[in-house]
Amino acid sequence: VSTAYVSAPNGATLIPETLPPLPLDFHALHTRVQAMSPHQVAAQTDAILQQAGNWPNSYCLTKAIAEHHLCDPSHADLPIIIVRPSIVTCALSEPTPGWIDSLVGPAGLVLAVALGALHAAPGREDLVVD
């Protein structure tokens, strides 16, 4: 499972069913990052995101790297399907039905409504809620 946000750098409104551009050698990036301390990684994250193609965050970049890695010719014998949901919510069954470990995304909104803390959410009819 990937994310729709692997297309974040190109500003696309429709996500093409192709690998996102990745103007760097992700194997070299992996080697470089593995040699760094956590402090060095934190200090260089913004520069790495820019060098890798102007990614908004490391989550989107690493999902794009994972897609490229899976589609590498060395994995040609693996049956691969890449699914890119824009929103991931609670678990269907594992570890238990309805399990969620975060209030990020729609879970926080649903909780706020359920607790009576949110009665309305302003929006525009011409935009996609995502």
Side-chain angles (χ1 to χ4, degrees):
V1 175
S2 187
T3 175
Y5 300 103
V6 296
S7 295
N10 71 18
T13 54
L14 293 176
I15 299 168
E17 295 203 22
T18 59
L19 287 176
L22 198 59
L24 57 70
D25 177 349
F26 60 87
H27 297 290
L29 175 62
H30 179 261
T31 301
R32 181 176 148 203
V33 170
Q34 287 296 315
M36 294 180 189
S37 70
H39 177 73
Q40 290 171 313
V41 172
Q44 294 186 32
T45 296
D46 288 342
I48 292 169
L49 293 173
Q50 290 298 317
Q51 293 166 4
N54 198 29
W55 293 88
N57 55 55
S58 58
Y59 175 80
C60 294
L61 171 59
T62 56
K63 287 290 193 174
I65 289 171
E67 287 188 17
H68 278 265
H69 183 66
L70 286 171
C71 294
D72 187 271
S74 66
H75 297 117
D77 57 332
L78 295 176
I80 296 171
I81 296 174
I82 297 173
V83 180
R84 294 179 177 150
S86 59
I87 297 175
V88 178
T89 60
C90 63
L92 175 63
S93 60
E94 296 290 332
T96 61
W99 179 82
I100 191 163
D101 64 352
S102 170
L103 294 178
V104 175
L109 183 64
V110 169
L111 180 63
V113 171
L115 293 174
L118 181 65
H119 300 279
R124 289 180 33 195
E125 289 183 21
D126 61 322
L127 296 178
V128 175
V129 177
D130 187 290

